Every structure is written in C-alpha cells, then in structure tokens.
Amino acid sequence: LECRTAHYAKLRTLHARFGGGDDAGDVDERIFCVLARYEALRGAGFQCAVPGAAFDGLRRYLGCTVECFASPLNCRFERYFSAFPALERSFGSLGSFFDEDAVDALRSGSFECNPPFVPEVMTFAARRIQRLLADASRGPLSFLVVVPDWGGAASAADAFRRSPFLRARHTVGAADHVFVDGAQHRVPGRHRPSSWDTAVLLLQNESGSATWPLDSATLASTVDASFARAANEGGPAGGPEDLQ
C-alpha cells in the first residue's frame, strides 16, 4: 500500500483530533486499515472529490459545508460523512449519510453532496435529501449537489432539478473542469479531467434559503471561476488544500 507523505500527515492530524490523540492505540494500524479498505474497493473514479478551490469560492455564500460523501483521504473539512464509520470515526467521520444514526448531525446545516457516480447511490441520496428538506421539524438545511449531467430517463441531475426545494442550478461543461483524483493519496497528479458535464444544484428548505441565499447567476459565476482556477493551477497531490 502506498500513501504520500502529505496524506499520511493529514491522517495523523485527523486522528489526533478525533481518535484520542497519537497515543490512542496503534495509529499506523488504523491508517493501514483505511488505506487497505479503499484499495480493496478499487475504482478510484468513485472516490473523486470536488476541488478545494470550489469549496473556497462558495464558502462566502454557504459557509464551511459538511461533505455527505467523503473519506479521511479526500475530505476537505475535518467533519464529513463516509462509507465506513466504524473505522473512520477516529478520523472525523460523522457516520454514513444513509444511517438513521446520523439524524442529529443532519438536524440543520450546510452540506455538500458529491456521491459516487453510481446510479443507485445517487438515487438513494436524492431521496434522502428530499425527505430531510421536507421534514418541518428540522432547522435551516442547505445541500449543494454535484452529480454528472448524463441525461436520460434515470438522470440523477434531472431528479434534483425537479425538486420543489431547488434554489439554484448550473451545468459545467466537461472540458471546463476537473475533479480531485480518487487516488490522490498515492499518485503523482492531483486532478483528473471530467469525462462528462457536471450539474451543480442547490437545494434548501425555506429557512435554509434565508440563511444561505444564493441565486443561479451567482452560483454559475462562482463555480465556473473556481473550477477554472483548480484546472489551471493544478498543484501537487496532498497539497495544503486537502484539509481546512
């Protein structure tokens, strides 16, 4: 198993914050388990992430968003939802986005939803977000959704566009953006070009819209500029944008 020095340092930092410190058990053993788990999944394309430049550009409007689908290896912020919470809580995971145990963490807040580009996972994510936004007992909620704009009858992007909670929308052309490589922790290059257009959609309940107002024109200009900066600047894998 391979792990670049900067990512190893990132994992050590997360574990120091949430795993009981460097003296709690064998930190390297837990790091090995994280690396082995994601290596066993294969398909690094499923672990791609939105570039840090996009988070930075939208922070003034949406704050520090919690990622609904991330890992200790590709998370932008220290708190996120992930696939293997039993292992990854020691690195800051809030649990699985689909678990009922996560209901308190989803009571209110600003979230970013960039699920693996698997039709079934995107469908389940859309249903989960719809239920959360329709729950009148919850506080302000905002979900910035990033999914492929494949089109067709089973399009996840179209399902989100039909939502009554849609507040803003934009589509980024395939040639105009990149994603952070899902294998960034072990490969020299940081980014991989997108293979298709990407839909960026903002869904919010009423109080979420009042708390984090953002229209389609502002979303489009901010996202385009941020993705262009990521594509042009590149940067080494494991660079400073990995963790805020």
Side-chain angles (χ1 to χ4, degrees):
L1 295 175
E2 298 180 47
C3 183
R4 299 179 69 85
T5 301
H7 281 81
Y8 176 75
K10 173 185 178 180
L11 292 170
R12 296 283 306 206
T13 297
L14 287 170
H15 192 276
R17 295 176 184 176
F18 302 104
D22 286 348
D23 296 328
D26 188 340
V27 182
D28 284 342
E29 181 176 309
R30 292 180 181 177
I31 290 175
F32 174 84
C33 289
V34 169
L35 295 171
R37 186 70 61 91
Y38 282 97
E39 185 66 23
L41 281 180
R42 310 304 296 175
F46 295 140
Q47 301 300 318
C48 287
V50 172
F55 285 100
D56 290 346
L58 290 165
R59 185 184 299 186
R60 63 179 294 191
Y61 305 106
L62 301 177
C64 295
T65 54
V66 175
E67 293 169 86
C68 298
F69 297 89
S71 78
L73 296 167
N74 70 10
C75 62
R76 172 62 171 169
F77 300 113
E78 64 180 20
R79 301 299 269 170
Y80 54 91
F81 294 94
S82 67
F84 309 111
L87 172 62
E88 295 167 337
R89 287 189 192 277
S90 294
F91 298 93
S93 174
L94 293 165
S96 167
F97 180 66
F98 295 122
D99 284 351
E100 290 306 315
D101 292 345
V103 66
D104 288 338
L106 293 162
R107 182 64 55 188
S108 65
S110 179
F111 301 89
E112 184 262 1
C113 176
N114 175 219
F117 293 170
V118 177
E120 293 81 2
V121 175
M122 292 188 288
T123 296
F124 291 145
R127 292 173 182 172
R128 175 76 155 159
I129 290 173
Q130 290 291 121
R131 288 196 299 269
L132 290 168
L133 292 173
D135 186 346
S137 71
R138 298 187 184 277
L141 281 173
S142 176
F143 290 91
L144 183 74
V145 177
V146 181
V147 292
D149 202 355
W150 288 335
S155 169
D158 286 345
F160 283 110
R161 289 190 186 102
R162 291 192 295 268
S163 170
F165 300 103
L166 181 66
R167 307 292 177 177
R169 54 183 283 187
H170 180 54
T171 298
V172 188
D176 299 324
H177 68 296
V178 296
F179 284 99
V180 178
D181 198 314
Q184 59 170 300
H185 60 284
R186 58 176 173 80
V187 298
R190 179 176 186 78
H191 296 129
R192 65 160 57 188
S194 179
S195 301
W196 39 70
D197 295 352
T198 294
V200 183
L201 309 110
L202 182 65
L203 281 72
Q204 300 168 321
N205 58 13
E206 288 295 332
S207 54
S209 180
T211 304
W212 300 284
L214 181 61
D215 59 34
S216 291
T218 305
L219 176 66
S221 61
T222 304
V223 167
D224 284 346
S226 298
F227 271 116
R229 180 161 69 87
N232 291 331
E233 292 182 356
E241 78 170 32
D242 279 327
L243 182 64
Q244 297 292 304

